[in-house]
Structures are given as C-alpha cells and as structure tokens.
Amino acid sequence: DAGVIQSPRHEVTEMGQEVTLRCKPISGHDYLFWYRQTMMRGLELLIYFNNNVPIDDSGMPEDRFSAKMPNASFSTLKIQPSEPRDSAVYFCASTGQYNSYNEQFFGPGTRLTVL
Amino acid sequence: AQKITQTQPGMFVQEKEAVTLDCTYDTSDPSYGLFWYKQPSSGEMIFLIYQGSYDQQNATEGRYSLNFQKARKSANLVISASQLGDSAMYFCVLRVGYQKVTFGTGTKLQVIP
C-alpha cells in the first residue's frame, strides 16, 4: 500500500487566500484524522471522520476552517480566508478497526506558509 | 479530561547506550491505550510501540520497550543500544475511547557518536 497521501507537500500563499489541503487515506481504513503541528501548540487534533462522517470537530479553531470527506478515499481541509497564524504543518492520518492496535498511520504532512 | 505529560524537552545519549524517555498520563477511564511515535527531522510520524491498559506485560518491539507502571500512571519508552538514526522527536500519546487521542509535547533525543 502507498500509505497516506497528502498534497501539496508545501504551500505558500498570501493572507486572505483560500487554501485547500488534500488527503487520501490508506485503503480500507475507516477513520481519518486531521492534525496541525506548530512549535507553540504542538500537535493538535482538528477533526476526525468515521465512515466519511465527521465525529468530532471540537479542535477546529474557527469558522475559517472546514473539512469534508466526500468518499472513503478522499478528504479536504479548507482554510478561507487564510491568516499568517495558520502557518503550520498539517497532517492527515488514518486507521481502521482491523489494525492491531488501532494505531494511526500518518501522511507526510503539508507545510503551509501564509505570508 | 485526558492529560499526557512529557517533562524532558530534550535529551542526549551516547551511541550504543540505553535511554529512557519519560511519560506520565492522567485519565479516569479504565480502558485506554498508550502509544509512542517518532518524528525524525524529515517530519513524518512513525508508530513505534503500543501498550493497552489491560495488558499484563510490558510491550516490546525490537530495541523499543515500554516501562508501563499503571499505579503511577507512567509509560516510559526505553530505547536500548541507541543508534544515530534514533535522533528525533518522540511523542507519547494517550487514547481514551475508540479514537480520541492526546499527544504529549514531545522529547527531542539526540544521539552522540
């Protein structure tokens, strides 16, 4: 399996622009997670889905952030409008009930820079 | 509420020596899981080892072992025979319920030749 795939790997944009991050989970996994990592706040869970349905979005910082999972193989995290404080590495992870320990498999991350 | 604490922001270890990375946690739920992940400078998150709250024995995976002391609510990671490639950030993670996880702040380990 190719693992969790994220695109783009790097994104540089200007304040006010819309940013869309993409994730393809491992085939067969029914849980998908979005995280944000910054030096100041560490790794934060933003939202997670089960069977394409959002289960817990309490970590989403504000209304500028939205996430969707239209099907089992694709999810997006959108920031509109983006702000410099959104600069971070965004990780997508997936897991399934048939994993040995329900461990999460992480994608390589998207490094977002908002100027 | 769940809490996970890693009190060592950074550590050094001599190559080939063993090192212990500390992790304490707090939860009132009797069923939980503890994970350790490694994040090298390249940025990816790599799963290392898992301990379930009902597991009777400490988990081991190759050179990694987890010193699980349930009464003290600690889950320290022990890396034996350190290698230069072990230099990375290490995160302790608590899972309560089916998928809600909390990450610690991490320990940066540097292995000295």
Side-chain angles (χ1 to χ4, degrees), chain B residues 35-73:
Chain B
F35 302 79
W36 279 91
Y37 280 83
K38 172 184 178 182
Q39 186 177 38
S41 58
S42 51
E44 70 270 32
M45 296 287 286
I46 303 167
F47 164 69
L48 296 178
I49 196 167
Y50 169 81
Q51 181 83 43
S53 58
Y54 295 119
D55 293 344
Q56 295 296 312
Q57 292 188 323
N58 287 345
T60 61
E61 289 285 350
R63 294 186 298 110
Y64 305 109
S65 60
L66 204 152
N67 184 2
F68 182 47
Q69 298 188 41
K70 195 170 182 177
R72 297 180 60 185
K73 294 190 174 180

Side-chain angles (χ1 to χ4, degrees), chain A residues 31 35 37 56 97 101 104, chain B residues 37 39 95 98 100-101:
Chain A
Y31 283 85
Y35 292 90
Q37 186 177 34
D56 186 345
Q97 60 180 321
Y101 309 120
Q104 295 181 17
Chain B
Y37 280 83
Q39 186 177 38
R95 184 187 68 211
Y98 194 62
K100 190 69 181 259
V101 299

Side-chain angles (χ1 to χ4, degrees), chain B residues 69-83:
Chain B
Q69 298 188 41
K70 195 170 182 177
R72 297 180 60 185
K73 294 190 174 180
S74 73
N76 299 337
L77 176 70
V78 181
I79 305 175
S80 63
S82 297
Q83 301 172 357

Side-chain angles (χ1 to χ4, degrees), chain A residues 23-38:
Chain A
C23 175
K24 176 179 167 56
I26 291 173
S27 177
H29 282 184
D30 53 356
Y31 283 85
L32 183 140
F33 306 80
W34 282 100
Y35 292 90
R36 177 173 68 177
Q37 186 177 34
T38 62

Side-chain angles (χ1 to χ4, degrees), chain A residues 34 66 108 114:
Chain A
W34 282 100
S66 63
V114 183

Side-chain angles (χ1 to χ4, degrees), chain A residues 38-113:
Chain A
T38 62
M39 289 293 292
M40 292 296 294
R41 301 175 68 92
L43 204 66
E44 304 171 276
L45 175 65
L46 300 177
I47 185 172
Y48 78 91
F49 296 83
N50 177 220
N51 291 322
N52 315 334
V53 176
I55 302 300
D56 186 345
D57 66 354
S58 59
M60 295 286 264
E62 48 196 277
D63 292 346
R64 297 185 297 106
F65 286 69
S66 63
K68 294 182 180 180
M69 192 165 185
N71 57 63
S73 59
F74 184 65
S75 177
T76 59
L77 178 67
K78 186 176 294 185
I79 308 172
Q80 166 65 17
S82 58
E83 297 182 2
R85 60 193 168 117
D86 301 331
S87 297
V89 178
Y90 291 81
F91 286 100
C92 176
S94 70
T95 190
Q97 60 180 321
Y98 301 111
N99 286 9
S100 302
Y101 309 120
N102 295 126
E103 70 271 29
Q104 295 181 17
F105 292 83
F106 282 74
T110 294
R111 183 173 295 276
L112 173 65
T113 303

